[in-house]
Amino acid sequence: MRINWGLIGGGEGSQIGGAHRIASGLDGAFRLAAGALDVDPNRGRNYAISLGIDPERAYGDWRQMLACEKARPDRIELVTVATPNSSHFEISKAFLEGGFDVLCEKPLTTTVEEAREIVRVAKDNGRICAVNYGYSGYPLIRHARAMVARGDLGRIRVVMVEFAHGHHADASDSDNPRIRWRYDPMLAGVSSIVADCGIHALHLATFVTGQAIQSVSADFVSTIPGRQLEDDAFVAFRMTGGVVGRLWASAIAVGRMHGLTIQIFGEKGGLRWHQEQPNQLYWTPVAGATTIIERSAAGLSPEAYRASRLTVGHSEGLLVAFANIYADLAEILLSRKAGIAPNPMAWSFPTALDGLEGVAAVHSAAASARAEGAWVDLPTG
Amino acid sequence: MRINWGLIGGGEGSQIGGAHRIASGLDGAFRLAAGALDVDPNRGRNYAISLGIDPERAYGDWRQMLACEKARPDRIELVTVATPNSSHFEISKAFLEGGFDVLCEKPLTTTVEEAREIVRVAKDNGRICAVNYGYSGYPLIRHARAMVARGDLGRIRVVMVEFAHGHHADASDSDNPRIRWRYDPMLAGVSSIVADCGIHALHLATFVTGQAIQSVSADFVSTIPGRQLEDDAFVAFRMTGGVVGRLWASAIAVGRMHGLTIQIFGEKGGLRWHQEQPNQLYWTPVAGATTIIERSAAGLSPEAYRASRLTVGHSEGLLVAFANIYADLAEILLSRKAGIAPNPMAWSFPTALDGLEGVAAVHSAAASARAEGAWVDLPTG
Amino acid sequence: MRINWGLIGGGEGSQIGGAHRIASGLDGAFRLAAGALDVDPNRGRNYAISLGIDPERAYGDWRQMLACEKARPDRIELVTVATPNSSHFEISKAFLEGGFDVLCEKPLTTTVEEAREIVRVAKDNGRICAVNYGYSGYPLIRHARAMVARGDLGRIRVVMVEFAHGHHADASDSDNPRIRWRYDPMLAGVSSIVADCGIHALHLATFVTGQAIQSVSADFVSTIPGRQLEDDAFVAFRMTGGVVGRLWASAIAVGRMHGLTIQIFGEKGGLRWHQEQPNQLYWTPVAGATTIIERSAAGLSPEAYRASRLTVGHSEGLLVAFANIYADLAEILLSRKAGIAPNPMAWSFPTALDGLEGVAAVHSAAASARAEGAWVDLPTG
Amino acid sequence: MRINWGLIGGGEGSQIGGAHRIASGLDGAFRLAAGALDVDPNRGRNYAISLGIDPERAYGDWRQMLACEKARPDRIELVTVATPNSSHFEISKAFLEGGFDVLCEKPLTTTVEEAREIVRVAKDNGRICAVNYGYSGYPLIRHARAMVARGDLGRIRVVMVEFAHGHHADASDSDNPRIRWRYDPMLAGVSSIVADCGIHALHLATFVTGQAIQSVSADFVSTIPGRQLEDDAFVAFRMTGGVVGRLWASAIAVGRMHGLTIQIFGEKGGLRWHQEQPNQLYWTPVAGATTIIERSAAGLSPEAYRASRLTVGHSEGLLVAFANIYADLAEILLSRKAGIAPNPMAWSFPTALDGLEGVAAVHSAAASARAEGAWVDLPTG
C-alpha cells in the first residue's frame, strides 16, 4: 500500500539524504524501495542495503537504477534527486523521460536552458517534476499564502525576504573543502549565496504572493579574500503583479543561524514569519494591533490545518515542512492510482516552473551584479 | 532488520497515536507490526489494516494481541501503551510479564502502589519499561542534563518549572466531554493539571538535575464552577540532593500555548529553556553574560549531538524529541540482539522509576493541597 | 510656577536619588528646592549645593529641614523620603504631621504597626502619603488596570507575578557589604527578596486587579551559606475579590536581569507584561489569538495615553514610569492650589494604604514561611 | 550653575519639542531660558511663558530671539533648532554666526550646499553645530562603536541597517495633512522615507563603523497612488574603509512599529541591535556562541557606562538616548567655561559633518533611484 520510492544521492553522512528519508517516511506513505546513493557504487550499495533496501535494488549508479526500475512491475513511483547540483538536469530529465515522477533538490538545474528543458520534458511526458523548496511546506507559510490568495492583505505592495547566516564567515575556513567549492565559479556556477540560500527566499516570495519575478537589480560582494563568488548580496526585484521585492542574502552574517525570513506588506495588512520560530506568524491589519497566529490554532485556513500534525503549542520543525512536500505528492500519486481527483490543496508543492524561475532569478541577479546593478529582465517573462 | 513494534491505543483521530507512529518510524528503526488500536475491536482492526499492519496482527483487543504475539516467532519486540490512563497498569504489567519491552504513556499508573508494582515486574522479568516523558528527548534538554552532570552549574540551588496553557479556560466549554472528564475525580483521579501537564515539568526537573523529588507543598485551585479537580496549581518541592523546586501548572492561563519551561540555577550559573522555542538554551555563568546555546552548534555535548538530526539553525520540534526516546530504545534492543553493549547514552529515556516518581509526586501534591499546603514526603523516599 | 520639592536621602552616588531627581524633573513640574541628602551633614549640604539647591536650604539633616521649611513662606510642597528603610517611618510621620505631602520609597515602614500609623497620620492631617511602587507608573500597567476595571477580562481567576534576578547569586560576594546586609535580619528585617523585590510584584498584582491580598502561604529558602534571610521565595496568596495569586521571587536566578513579570488570567482573557520589554502588553481573549498592545498605539485607554510621552514604537523605560508617579502628584498639587478638581486619573499613584498592604504581605509571608507554609491572614483584612 | 538653553520651534503639541525639553533637563544641566516656539508669535510666547520662560525671553520669532539674546549678559549658551526642515539652514547659520552653539534637528539642511555652508560657518566661528541623530545616544550603540573601534570585530565587512515602520500604510490616510506633505517634493524635497528615517539608520552605520558613506545605489518606490516620493526604499552603499552597506527603509511595513535595526558583521564577529529593545546588544564571535550584552552590565566599555543612568535590567528608552546628546554638550560647554579639557568621550555627539553626510547620502540615493539604481558617488568624498 505504501508508495515505492527511490533516492539518488543522499549517501552516508549526507544531511539532505537523511532529511529526505525522514520526510518521505514521516506519514508512512512512502517506502524506500530503491536507491543509487553514492558516487562510489560499492559504498552506495552497501549503505542502501544497510537502510533496508532490497540488495537487487541497491544500485551502483543512477543509470543502472533507471534501466532496472523501468523493467520492474513494482517499479518505484517517485524518485528523489539529491545529487550535486550539476547532475540534477541529466538525472531528472532521464527519469522523467523514463516515465517516473521526480522530486529534484534545488536548484533544479545550473542553467536556464536546462531548466526550460526540464519543464518541457515533464510536460511532454505527463510527469510531475517537483522541486524541493522545502520551506514552502511549513504550515504557516501555506497559511500566509492562503491569506494572500483570499485577499486578507489586499493588493500586495512590498515583500521583504532574507536568508542570512554566518556559517561561512571564518576566513581561516577558506581552505575548508566543504566551503571553498561554493565560491568557485567552476564548481558552483554564477552565484553562491543567492543560488544556495537566496533562492529559497525568492521562492517563498513567489509562493506566498502568487506572483512571478520579472526583473532584478543586484549588488553582490565577496568579502573574504580568495572567494570569486558572492557571500553577501542585496537584490531588488519586481514581480508580475506589481509587487516590489527586496532580498538580502548573506553567508557572513555572524550570529545569524538560519535567518530565513519573509515579510509581506499589503494595502490591508502585513505578515511576518521567521524560519527559526516557524510556529508563529505575525499578522497586523492596517490600523490594527499585531496578532500572533499560532500553527494549529482554531480558525486557520484548511491549507494550514492539512499541513500540521500536532495541536497548537507543540513545536513542529523543518522535517515536518519537508514531509508536507512528500504528503502532497503521496496524495496525488495515490489519487491517480485510485482514479480519483486529489484534494486540490495537494497541488501546493513547488514544480519545475518554480525551479525554472529560481534558476532564472539567480542568473539574472548575477548578470545584474556584473553590470553594476543594472535592471535585468528574467528570461522567463 | 527493522524492529517489530506494536501499538495499543492510538486509534483513528488520536493525536498521540499519530505522534507515536511518526516518532517510532522517524529513523526507520521500527516497523508497526501489530496493534490493538481501539476500544472498538472492528474499528481498531480496520484502522490497523489501513495503516499497513498485516490483518492477522490487527487485533481486536490487547489481550488477544498479547496471546497471539507471544506465540509468534516474529513477535513484536516493543509495545507502546497509549490507552486511557486507567488501563496503563494492567496492560503494561501483562506485557512485561509476557516478556515484552514496554513504552508506556504517562502517567505510568493511577496509583503509587501500581507504579511500584510495575517497577517490580519490569525488574523481575528483566524487561525495559520506558515512560514517555517525551520532552526529555529534546536535544537541548539532554545538553542541559549533561551540563549539570559535568558540573558546569556547580551545586544546583533552585529549579523553576512551569507548564501553563490556556486551553481549558473557556467556562462555556465545561460541558465539552473532551475537557469535562479531566476535572472529574471519578475519571481523572486525584489531580488534573498537575497529573496531566505538571508531571512533565516535574520530570524535567528530575531529569536535568539528576535528583529525585522528596517532599512537596501544594496549592491547588479550581477556577471554573463545576470542576472538582485543580486547573491551576503551585507546588513547592525539595529534591534528594538539596535542590529547591518550584512548579506552576495551569490550564486556564489564557494566552499561554504550551508554556513548558525549565530554569535551573546553580552556584556557577543558570540555564533557561522554553518548549515553544526548543532549539535555544540560555546559559548564564555567574558574573558573566548570557549566551545562547543553539541546538547542533559546535561544541555541544555528545548527548545533544546524538539527539539532533539537522544542522544548526534548522528548527526541530516535538516529533524529533519523541523520536529520540524511540532511538534510545532501538539502540538498546538492537545491541541486545547483537550481543554488544549499547552506547551508554542510550540509557537516557525515562523508565518506570521515573514513572513511579511522577505518580508519587502527583499524589503527594494532591494530599498536600487537601491539607492546606502541609509538606508531604513522597512515598518513594 | 514649578512646585517646590524636597528630597531626603539620595546622596552622592545613590542610584535611587538620581532616579527621583530625573523623574521629578522630567516634565518640568517640580523644582528641587530643598534637601537633606546624606547622613553626613557636610557631605549632604555640599552635594545639595552642587545640585543647585539654595545653600540655606541645603540641610544637614531632616529634622533641621523640617523645622526650617515649616517656617518658610515658600516651603516645599512635596518631600520625597529616599533614606534607608528603617528611617522611613519616623521621617514620613514627622513631615506628614508637619503638614507636608510625602512620597516615601518602599517599603513604607518596617512594621505593620508603623504602616498603620502612617495611614492614620496622613488621614488625620489631610496629607497625601504616596509610596514609590514605581513600576505601577508604566503606561501599559495602567492600561492593564484599565482593561481589568472595565471588564475586558471578566472575573479574574489567577494572577501570576515574578520578580527574579540573579544579582546576589555569587557566593563569593557574601562578604560584599552592599549585599550582605540584605540577608541579615538585624538590618533588613523579616525578609530579604520578598521585601525588596517581591513587594513590587505583589503591588502590581493588587494595582492591576483592584483587589487586596487577604492571606498568604510562603516557602522561603536561603541558598547561600551565611545568609539568614531568604534569597528565593514562592508565595501563594488569595485576594479579597477571590483572585488566586502566585509569586516567585529570587535573587539567585542567574541570567534573569530584572524579571518583573505579571500575568493576569480572567474568564474572558489573559494579559502578560514583562518589565524588561515594557512597551508591549500581550492580550489574549478566550478562544482568540494573542494581540500585541503597543504603548501609545491608537485605541489605548486614556489612562495609558496620559502616562506616555512618545509616539508608538519609541521605547520608554523606567524613568518615565517613575515620572508618572510625580506627574500624578503634580496634577493633584497644582489642582489643589488652583482650587479645581484634578483629573481623576491622577489618583493612580500608590498610597500609604498600598504601602501598608505591602508591609503586611511581607510580614505575613515571613510568618507563613516560619510556619512551614501555613496560611496566614493579613492583619489588614 | 545650569546652562542657559534656548529652543526654536517645538511649540504646543509638538512631540519633538517635548522630547528636547525632557532630554535637556534630564540631568539638570540645562535650563530653558529663552524660546521662539511657534510660527505664530503670540501662541509661541504664551506657550513659552507657560513653560516657565521669563516673559521677556519668550520671543515671537527666532530673529527677535537672536537679536535680544546676543545683547544679554546672561545669553543662552546653546540653542536647539526644532523647526520645520526647510528653515534649519537659515536659523542654524544665523545663530552660529551670532556666536551661539547650536543643536539642530535632522536633516541639518535641505541641500548639500547648505550643509557644506553650515560646516564652514561653524568652523569659521569656532562654534559647535551638533545634529540630533538621537539614536546614537543609546548606551549600547556607543558600546557597539567602542567595540568596533577597539577591534573586537576585526575588519568590518558588511553593515545592514533598517528603519521600517508601517505608520503611512493606510491609503485612506493619503489626504491626512500630517502625512501627505511628506510625499510631496515641493514640501519634503527629494526624498521621503530615506530622508526622514533612513537617514538615522545611515548615521548609525557611520557612527558605529567609524567610516563615511562613499557611494550609493538606490531603489525607491512609491506604493500608494498620489504619492510622488518614495515610501519604501532599498539602498546599497559603500563606505570609505571598504565596508559594504545595505539599507531598507519603509513607511508601509504594516506591523513594524519602529524597526530601526543595525547589524554589523566583521571578520572576528557580528553585532545586532534593535531600537525596540535597546537594552540588549547581541554579540557573536566567529565560531562562538551569541552572547547578550546588557546595558550597564559589568565589563562594558566606559563609553557605555557613561551613557547609562540605571543599573542593569532596568529599561532605559529613547529619552535617555536624547539626553546623552545633551549630556555630551553640557560636558563640553561646562569644561570650556571652566577652562578645562572635557572628557574626550563627550565628543560622541553627531556634528555638522554628520549632518552633511546624511544630506549628501539622501540626495545621492535619490539621484541613483532616478537613474535606475546607477551607483552615485557622494559629493562629500
Side-chain angles (χ1 to χ4, degrees):
Chain A
M1 193 172 357
R2 297 209 289 172
I3 303 167
N4 284 326
W5 171 62
L7 176 63
I8 302 173
E12 194 155 16
S14 144
Q15 172 171 248
I16 196 68
H20 278 284
R21 291 201 313 276
I22 293 174
S24 64
L26 200 86
D27 298 309
F30 291 94
R31 186 177 78 90
L32 180 52
L37 305 186
D38 205 301
V39 69
D40 175 322
N42 279 329
R43 204 165 52 191
R45 270 194 296 263
N46 289 337
Y47 188 52
I49 291 167
S50 83
L51 294 174
I53 293 179
D54 185 340
E56 71 178 20
R57 299 176 87 173
Y59 300 104
D61 66 56
W62 66 265
R63 285 186 178 84
Q64 185 194 11
M65 176 167 160
L66 174 59
C68 295
E69 288 293 318
K70 275 172 76 171
R72 295 182 70 99
D74 62 347
R75 58 189 275 178
I76 52 171
E77 293 170 73
L78 177 75
V79 66
T80 290
V81 180
T83 56
N85 299 346
S86 58
S87 59
H88 288 180
F89 169 67
E90 188 180 15
I91 302 173
S92 295
K93 187 179 174 211
F95 275 83
L96 289 167
E97 289 174 340
F100 295 90
D101 294 304
V102 169
L103 170 59
C104 185
E105 258 305 318
K106 50 65 43 184
L108 175 56
T109 60
T110 57
T111 70
V112 174
E113 293 66 33
E114 290 169 352
R116 273 216 196 88
E117 175 81 353
I118 294 288
V119 169
R120 191 190 56 72
V121 169
K123 193 179 170 201
D124 289 354
N125 288 274
R127 292 293 102 193
I128 289 166
C129 181
V131 175
N132 192 35
Y133 293 124
Y135 305 106
S136 67
Y138 273 112
L140 288 177
I141 284 293
R142 295 189 167 191
H143 186 64
R145 178 158 108 139
M147 286 181 73
V148 170
R150 74 193 185 197
D152 288 9
L153 285 83
R155 185 176 59 82
I156 305 302
R157 293 165 176 163
V158 171
V159 61
M160 169 75 185
V161 288
E162 282 185 18
F163 200 138
H165 68 73
H167 304 306
H168 302 163
D170 193 345
S172 70
D173 246 5
S174 61
D175 287 332
N176 180 334
R178 289 215 343 278
I179 293 181
R180 193 180 43 195
W181 74 269
R182 297 177 178 278
Y183 298 97
D184 179 348
M186 297 301 291
L187 297 169
V190 298
S191 158
S192 180
I193 185 64
V194 172
D196 187 38
C197 290
I199 199 171
H200 282 295
L202 292 171
H203 177 258
L204 284 189
T206 66
F207 185 79
V208 173
T209 63
Q211 298 185 16
I213 298 173
Q214 205 164 36
S215 58
V216 296
S217 164
D219 178 29
F220 283 14
V221 296
S222 173
T223 69
I224 292 186
R227 287 188 181 165
Q228 298 180 63
L229 295 177
E230 89 285 1
D231 54 15
D232 188 279
F234 215 45
V235 184
F237 54 98
R238 296 291 183 276
M239 303 186 78
T240 44
V243 169
V244 170
R246 282 85 169 68
L247 163 71
W248 174 46
S250 185
I252 55 90
V254 196
R256 303 293 295 264
M257 291 302 136
H258 196 273
L260 176 60
T261 298
I262 183 164
Q263 304 179 72
I264 310 116
F265 305 110
E267 59 187 3
K268 294 187 189 168
L271 285 171
R272 285 174 289 147
W273 180 85
H274 309 270
Q275 202 266 152
E276 294 186 34
Q277 260 184 273
N279 296 285
Q280 284 81 34
L281 175 69
Y282 292 80
W283 159 240
T284 317
V286 162
T290 297
T291 65
I292 305 174
I293 298 175
E294 296 276 344
R295 184 191 49 72
S296 290
L300 255 65
S301 59
E303 287 85 350
Y305 266 119
R306 179 176 167 277
S308 194
R309 280 157 192 75
L310 297 175
T311 52
V312 67
H314 296 85
S315 68
E316 284 185 359
L318 181 60
L319 293 170
V320 170
F322 272 29
N324 284 328
I325 307 287
Y326 279 97
D328 287 344
L329 291 168
E331 165 91 28
I332 288 168
L333 297 182
L334 293 172
S335 300
R336 193 166 61 192
K337 263 202 280 203
I340 59 173
N343 181 336
M345 288 190 276
W347 295 103
S348 297
F349 62 87
T351 68
L353 279 170
D354 300 290
L356 165 59
E357 184 174 354
V359 173
V362 169
H363 279 78
S364 299
S368 169
R370 285 190 304 268
E372 299 203 325
W375 284 87
V376 172
D377 287 339
L378 263 66
T380 42
Chain B
M1 194 171 357
R2 298 209 289 173
I3 302 167
N4 284 326
W5 171 62
L7 176 61
I8 303 173
E12 193 155 18
S14 144
Q15 172 170 249
I16 195 67
H20 278 284
R21 290 200 314 274
I22 292 174
S24 64
L26 200 85
D27 298 310
F30 291 93
R31 187 178 78 88
L32 180 53
L37 306 185
D38 206 302
V39 68
D40 175 323
N42 279 328
R43 205 164 51 191
R45 270 195 296 263
N46 289 337
Y47 187 52
I49 291 167
S50 81
L51 293 174
I53 293 178
D54 184 341
E56 72 180 20
R57 299 176 86 173
Y59 301 103
D61 65 56
W62 67 265
R63 286 186 178 81
Q64 183 192 12
M65 176 167 159
L66 175 59
C68 295
E69 287 294 318
K70 276 171 76 170
R72 293 183 71 100
D74 61 346
R75 59 189 273 178
I76 53 171
E77 294 170 73
L78 177 74
V79 64
T80 290
V81 180
T83 55
N85 300 347
S86 58
S87 58
H88 289 180
F89 170 67
E90 188 179 17
I91 301 173
S92 295
K93 188 180 175 210
F95 275 83
L96 289 167
E97 290 174 340
F100 295 90
D101 294 305
V102 169
L103 170 59
C104 185
E105 261 303 320
K106 48 67 41 182
L108 175 58
T109 60
T110 55
T111 70
V112 175
E113 293 66 32
E114 290 169 351
R116 274 216 197 86
E117 174 83 353
I118 293 287
V119 169
R120 191 189 55 73
V121 169
K123 195 180 169 198
D124 289 354
N125 289 274
R127 293 291 103 194
I128 290 167
C129 181
V131 176
N132 192 36
Y133 293 125
Y135 304 107
S136 67
Y138 273 112
L140 289 177
I141 284 294
R142 294 188 167 191
H143 186 64
R145 178 157 108 138
M147 287 181 72
V148 170
R150 72 193 188 199
D152 289 9
L153 286 81
R155 185 175 59 83
I156 306 302
R157 293 164 175 163
V158 170
V159 61
M160 169 74 185
V161 289
E162 282 185 20
F163 201 139
H165 69 74
H167 304 305
H168 303 163
D170 193 346
S172 70
D173 246 6
S174 61
D175 286 334
N176 180 334
R178 289 215 343 277
I179 293 181
R180 192 180 42 195
W181 73 269
R182 296 176 177 279
Y183 298 97
D184 179 348
M186 298 300 291
L187 298 169
V190 297
S191 160
S192 180
I193 185 64
V194 172
D196 186 37
C197 291
I199 199 171
H200 282 295
L202 292 171
H203 177 258
L204 285 189
T206 66
F207 185 79
V208 172
T209 63
Q211 299 185 16
I213 298 173
Q214 205 163 36
S215 58
V216 297
S217 163
D219 178 29
F220 283 15
V221 296
S222 173
T223 69
I224 292 186
R227 288 188 181 164
Q228 296 180 64
L229 295 177
E230 88 287 0
D231 53 17
D232 188 280
F234 216 44
V235 184
F237 55 98
R238 296 292 184 275
M239 304 185 77
T240 46
V243 169
V244 170
R246 282 83 169 70
L247 163 71
W248 173 46
S250 185
I252 54 91
V254 196
R256 302 294 294 264
M257 290 303 137
H258 195 274
L260 176 60
T261 297
I262 182 165
Q263 304 178 74
I264 310 115
F265 305 110
E267 60 187 1
K268 295 187 188 168
L271 285 171
R272 286 174 287 146
W273 180 85
H274 308 270
Q275 203 264 154
E276 294 187 34
Q277 262 184 271
N279 296 285
Q280 284 82 33
L281 175 68
Y282 292 80
W283 159 240
T284 316
V286 161
T290 298
T291 65
I292 306 174
I293 298 175
E294 296 275 345
R295 185 190 48 71
S296 289
L300 255 65
S301 59
E303 288 85 349
Y305 266 118
R306 179 176 168 277
S308 193
R309 281 157 192 74
L310 298 175
T311 52
V312 66
H314 296 85
S315 68
E316 284 184 0
L318 182 59
L319 292 170
V320 171
F322 272 30
N324 284 328
I325 307 288
Y326 278 98
D328 286 344
L329 292 168
E331 166 90 27
I332 289 168
L333 297 182
L334 292 171
S335 300
R336 193 165 61 190
K337 261 201 283 200
I340 58 172
N343 183 337
M345 288 190 277
W347 296 102
S348 297
F349 62 88
T351 68
L353 278 170
D354 300 290
L356 164 60
E357 183 174 353
V359 173
V362 169
H363 280 77
S364 299
S368 170
R370 284 190 305 268
E372 299 202 327
W375 284 87
V376 171
D377 287 339
L378 262 66
T380 43
Chain C
M1 193 172 358
R2 296 210 287 174
I3 302 166
N4 284 325
W5 172 62
L7 177 62
I8 301 173
E12 194 155 15
S14 144
Q15 172 170 249
I16 195 69
H20 277 285
R21 292 201 311 277
I22 292 174
S24 65
L26 200 87
D27 298 309
F30 291 93
R31 187 178 77 90
L32 179 53
L37 305 185
D38 206 301
V39 69
D40 175 323
N42 279 328
R43 206 165 49 190
R45 270 195 296 263
N46 289 337
Y47 187 53
I49 291 167
S50 83
L51 294 174
I53 293 178
D54 185 340
E56 71 179 22
R57 301 175 87 172
Y59 301 104
D61 66 55
W62 66 265
R63 286 185 177 82
Q64 186 194 12
M65 177 168 159
L66 174 59
C68 295
E69 287 294 318
K70 276 171 77 169
R72 295 183 70 100
D74 62 346
R75 58 188 275 178
I76 52 171
E77 293 169 73
L78 176 75
V79 65
T80 290
V81 180
T83 56
N85 299 348
S86 58
S87 60
H88 289 179
F89 170 67
E90 188 178 16
I91 302 173
S92 295
K93 186 179 176 211
F95 274 83
L96 289 167
E97 289 174 340
F100 295 90
D101 295 305
V102 169
L103 170 60
C104 185
E105 259 305 318
K106 49 66 46 180
L108 176 57
T109 61
T110 55
T111 69
V112 173
E113 295 65 34
E114 289 170 352
R116 273 215 197 88
E117 175 81 354
I118 293 289
V119 170
R120 192 192 53 74
V121 169
K123 192 178 173 202
D124 289 355
N125 287 273
R127 291 293 103 192
I128 289 167
C129 182
V131 176
N132 192 36
Y133 294 123
Y135 305 106
S136 67
Y138 273 111
L140 288 177
I141 284 293
R142 294 188 168 192
H143 185 64
R145 177 157 108 139
M147 285 181 73
V148 170
R150 73 193 185 196
D152 288 10
L153 285 82
R155 185 176 60 82
I156 306 302
R157 292 164 176 164
V158 170
V159 61
M160 169 75 185
V161 288
E162 282 186 18
F163 200 139
H165 69 74
H167 304 306
H168 301 163
D170 192 346
S172 70
D173 245 6
S174 62
D175 285 333
N176 180 335
R178 289 212 346 275
I179 293 180
R180 192 181 42 196
W181 74 269
R182 296 177 178 277
Y183 298 97
D184 179 347
M186 298 300 291
L187 298 168
V190 296
S191 158
S192 181
I193 185 64
V194 171
D196 187 37
C197 290
I199 198 171
H200 282 295
L202 292 171
H203 177 257
L204 284 189
T206 66
F207 185 79
V208 172
T209 62
Q211 299 185 15
I213 298 173
Q214 205 164 35
S215 59
V216 297
S217 164
D219 177 29
F220 283 14
V221 295
S222 173
T223 68
I224 292 185
R227 288 188 180 163
Q228 296 180 64
L229 295 178
E230 89 286 0
D231 52 16
D232 188 280
F234 215 45
V235 184
F237 55 98
R238 296 292 183 275
M239 304 187 78
T240 45
V243 169
V244 170
R246 280 86 169 67
L247 163 71
W248 174 46
S250 185
I252 54 91
V254 196
R256 303 293 295 263
M257 291 302 137
H258 195 273
L260 176 60
T261 297
I262 184 166
Q263 304 179 73
I264 311 115
F265 304 109
E267 60 188 0
K268 294 187 188 167
L271 285 170
R272 285 174 289 148
W273 180 86
H274 309 269
Q275 203 265 153
E276 293 186 35
Q277 259 184 274
N279 296 286
Q280 283 82 35
L281 176 68
Y282 292 80
W283 159 240
T284 315
V286 162
T290 297
T291 66
I292 305 174
I293 298 175
E294 296 276 344
R295 184 192 47 74
S296 291
L300 255 65
S301 59
E303 288 85 350
Y305 265 119
R306 180 176 166 275
S308 193
R309 281 157 192 75
L310 297 175
T311 51
V312 67
H314 296 84
S315 68
E316 284 185 1
L318 182 59
L319 292 169
V320 170
F322 272 30
N324 284 329
I325 308 287
Y326 279 98
D328 286 344
L329 292 167
E331 166 90 27
I332 289 168
L333 297 182
L334 292 172
S335 299
R336 191 166 63 191
K337 262 200 284 201
I340 58 174
N343 182 335
M345 288 190 276
W347 295 102
S348 297
F349 62 88
T351 68
L353 279 169
D354 299 290
L356 165 58
E357 183 174 356
V359 173
V362 169
H363 280 77
S364 299
S368 169
R370 284 191 305 268
E372 299 203 325
W375 284 87
V376 172
D377 287 339
L378 263 67
T380 43
Chain D
M1 194 170 357
R2 297 210 290 174
I3 303 166
N4 284 325
W5 172 61
L7 177 61
I8 303 173
E12 194 156 17
S14 144
Q15 172 171 249
I16 195 68
H20 278 284
R21 292 200 313 275
I22 292 173
S24 65
L26 200 85
D27 298 309
F30 291 93
R31 187 179 76 90
L32 180 53
L37 305 185
D38 205 301
V39 68
D40 175 323
N42 279 329
R43 206 165 49 190
R45 271 195 295 264
N46 290 337
Y47 187 53
I49 291 167
S50 83
L51 293 174
I53 293 178
D54 184 340
E56 70 178 21
R57 299 175 88 172
Y59 300 104
D61 66 57
W62 66 265
R63 287 186 178 82
Q64 185 193 12
M65 176 167 160
L66 175 60
C68 294
E69 287 294 317
K70 275 171 76 170
R72 294 183 71 100
D74 62 346
R75 58 188 274 178
I76 53 171
E77 293 170 72
L78 177 75
V79 65
T80 290
V81 180
T83 55
N85 299 348
S86 59
S87 59
H88 289 180
F89 171 66
E90 188 179 17
I91 301 173
S92 295
K93 186 180 175 212
F95 274 82
L96 289 167
E97 289 174 340
F100 294 90
D101 294 305
V102 169
L103 171 59
C104 184
E105 261 303 320
K106 49 69 36 183
L108 176 57
T109 60
T110 56
T111 70
V112 174
E113 294 67 32
E114 289 171 350
R116 274 215 196 87
E117 176 81 354
I118 293 288
V119 169
R120 192 190 54 74
V121 169
K123 193 179 171 201
D124 289 354
N125 288 273
R127 291 294 103 193
I128 289 167
C129 181
V131 176
N132 192 38
Y133 293 125
Y135 304 107
S136 67
Y138 273 112
L140 288 177
I141 284 293
R142 294 187 168 193
H143 186 64
R145 178 158 108 138
M147 286 182 72
V148 170
R150 72 191 187 199
D152 288 10
L153 285 82
R155 185 175 60 81
I156 306 301
R157 293 166 176 162
V158 170
V159 60
M160 169 75 186
V161 288
E162 282 186 19
F163 201 139
H165 69 74
H167 304 306
H168 302 163
D170 192 346
S172 71
D173 246 5
S174 62
D175 285 333
N176 179 334
R178 288 213 346 275
I179 292 181
R180 193 181 43 195
W181 73 270
R182 296 176 178 277
Y183 298 96
D184 178 347
M186 298 300 291
L187 299 168
V190 297
S191 159
S192 180
I193 184 65
V194 172
D196 186 37
C197 290
I199 199 170
H200 282 295
L202 292 171
H203 177 258
L204 284 190
T206 67
F207 185 79
V208 172
T209 63
Q211 299 185 15
I213 297 173
Q214 206 164 34
S215 58
V216 296
S217 164
D219 178 30
F220 283 14
V221 295
S222 173
T223 68
I224 292 186
R227 288 188 181 165
Q228 297 180 61
L229 295 178
E230 90 285 0
D231 53 15
D232 188 280
F234 216 44
V235 184
F237 55 98
R238 296 292 183 277
M239 304 186 79
T240 45
V243 169
V244 170
R246 282 82 168 70
L247 163 71
W248 173 46
S250 185
I252 55 89
V254 195
R256 302 294 294 262
M257 291 302 137
H258 195 273
L260 177 60
T261 298
I262 182 165
Q263 303 180 74
I264 309 115
F265 305 109
E267 59 187 2
K268 294 188 188 167
L271 286 170
R272 286 174 289 146
W273 180 86
H274 309 268
Q275 203 266 155
E276 294 186 34
Q277 261 184 273
N279 295 286
Q280 284 82 34
L281 175 67
Y282 292 81
W283 159 239
T284 316
V286 162
T290 298
T291 66
I292 305 174
I293 298 175
E294 296 276 344
R295 186 191 47 71
S296 290
L300 256 66
S301 59
E303 288 85 348
Y305 266 119
R306 179 176 167 275
S308 194
R309 281 157 192 75
L310 298 175
T311 51
V312 66
H314 296 85
S315 69
E316 284 184 0
L318 182 58
L319 293 169
V320 170
F322 272 29
N324 284 329
I325 307 287
Y326 278 98
D328 286 343
L329 291 168
E331 166 90 28
I332 288 168
L333 297 182
L334 292 172
S335 300
R336 192 165 62 191
K337 262 200 283 200
I340 58 172
N343 182 336
M345 287 190 276
W347 296 103
S348 297
F349 61 88
T351 69
L353 279 170
D354 299 289
L356 165 58
E357 184 174 354
V359 173
V362 169
H363 279 78
S364 300
S368 169
R370 284 190 305 267
E372 298 203 326
W375 283 87
V376 172
D377 286 340
L378 262 67
T380 43

